[in-house]
């Protein structure tokens, strides 16, 4: 699948806003900590990915009822669903001067009767002319996502026969339907019932 930039200018994928708030002290501290153990952009990107994947539990896995959406809150509170974790990873990558985009899949539940949007990040490392999608959702039994540039290692592969979709557009900011769902949810239980089913 060919990924398509929403905005042609790469600087848009380095920008900060109130969601991808990589200038926030919490994000800056975590970025500095990760940089201490990483030499070069690739090592930093992998360290940021592994921190978000493994160090910030997916709230559905941990049972946390809270809903986070701002990157600094996700990092500080150590919780979030896939969208929120993607915001945190994008913020850490951008804090390290690595272009990062938000991207999405439409996935089906086990019986195929309902769909929900799943959040990912695409990274563009120096020296590469491609975007590489990464899934920091968090591994559980049956899910083994890994940081990879030589072929995607996402949590789930899309099954077209179930109406699943890989959306090719790379967003500089969270998609409005995703952000609206996060902001309007008083808790994760409500969010689970109101997850967007498509973009």
């Amino acid at each position: 699948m060919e990924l398509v930039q929403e905005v042609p200018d790469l600087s848009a994928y380095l920008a900060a806003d109130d969601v991808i708030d990589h200038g926030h002290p919490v994000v800056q501290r975590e970025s500095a900590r990760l940089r201490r153990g990483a030499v070069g952009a690739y090592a930093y990107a992998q360290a940021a990915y592994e921190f978000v994947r493994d160090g910030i539990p997916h709230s559905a896995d941990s049972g946390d009822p809270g809903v986070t959406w701002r990157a600094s809150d996700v990092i500080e509170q150590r919780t979030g669903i896939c969208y929120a974790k993607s915001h945190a990873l994008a913020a850490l990558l951008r804090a390290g001067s690595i272009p990062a985009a938000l991207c999405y899949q439409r996935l089906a539940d086990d019986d195929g009767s309902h769909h929900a949007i799943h959040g990912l990040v695409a990274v563009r490392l120096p020296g590469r002319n491609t975007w590489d999608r990464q899934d920091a959702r968090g591994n559980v039994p049956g899910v083994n996502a890994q940081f990879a540039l030589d072929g995607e290692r996402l949590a789930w592969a899309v099954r077209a026969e179930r109406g699943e979709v890989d959306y090719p557009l790379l967003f500089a900011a969270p998609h409005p339907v995703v952000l609206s769902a996060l902001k309007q949810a008083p808790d994760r239980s409500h969010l689970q019932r109101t997850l967007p089913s498509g973009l």
Side-chain angles (χ1 to χ4, degrees):
M1 179 185 66
E2 183 177 346
L3 299 171
V4 180
Q5 291 177 208
E6 174 194 33
V7 180
D9 185 357
L10 271 183
S11 67
Y13 300 94
L14 290 166
D17 58 28
D18 64 338
V19 180
I20 312 297
D21 58 342
H22 62 75
H24 192 284
V26 166
V27 181
Q28 288 294 310
R29 276 195 303 273
E30 194 58 46
S31 175
R33 184 189 71 78
L34 292 167
R35 274 196 299 272
R36 284 195 294 274
V39 178
Y42 178 95
Y44 174 79
Q46 183 171 6
Y49 167 82
E50 290 175 353
F51 164 71
V52 174
R53 184 194 64 190
D54 303 335
I56 301 175
H58 190 290
S59 54
D61 299 340
S62 67
D64 191 318
V67 176
T68 52
W69 53 268
R70 184 177 287 115
S72 57
D73 292 337
V74 176
I75 293 168
E76 185 170 48
Q77 297 174 33
R78 296 291 200 269
T79 190
I81 68 163
C82 61
Y83 311 142
K85 292 183 67 166
S86 293
H87 301 166
L89 178 54
L92 288 170
L93 291 168
R94 292 180 186 187
S97 301
I98 298 170
L102 300 169
C103 45
Y104 303 94
Q105 294 175 311
R106 179 180 191 247
L107 300 175
D109 60 10
D110 290 339
D111 66 8
S113 62
H114 295 90
H115 292 86
I117 298 303
H118 177 57
L120 310 168
V121 169
V123 60
R124 186 157 177 151
L125 286 167
R128 293 180 65 83
N129 292 322
T130 60
W131 288 92
D132 298 289
R133 292 192 306 171
Q134 312 296 333
D135 191 338
R137 180 240 178 261
N139 290 338
V140 292
V143 173
N144 184 27
Q146 300 294 326
F147 184 82
L149 303 179
D150 57 352
E152 293 183 336
R153 298 282 306 275
L154 307 178
W156 295 283
V158 160
R159 301 162 296 180
E161 70 276 9
R162 287 180 169 244
E164 297 181 341
V165 177
D166 268 323
Y167 293 107
L169 198 56
L170 299 173
F171 295 91
H175 192 284
V177 302
V178 167
L179 191 56
S180 176
L182 288 169
K183 286 184 170 183
Q184 291 178 16
D187 55 41
R188 187 177 48 81
S189 176
H190 181 276
L191 179 60
Q192 191 65 35
R193 297 190 303 272
T194 58
L195 288 173
S197 60
L199 298 183

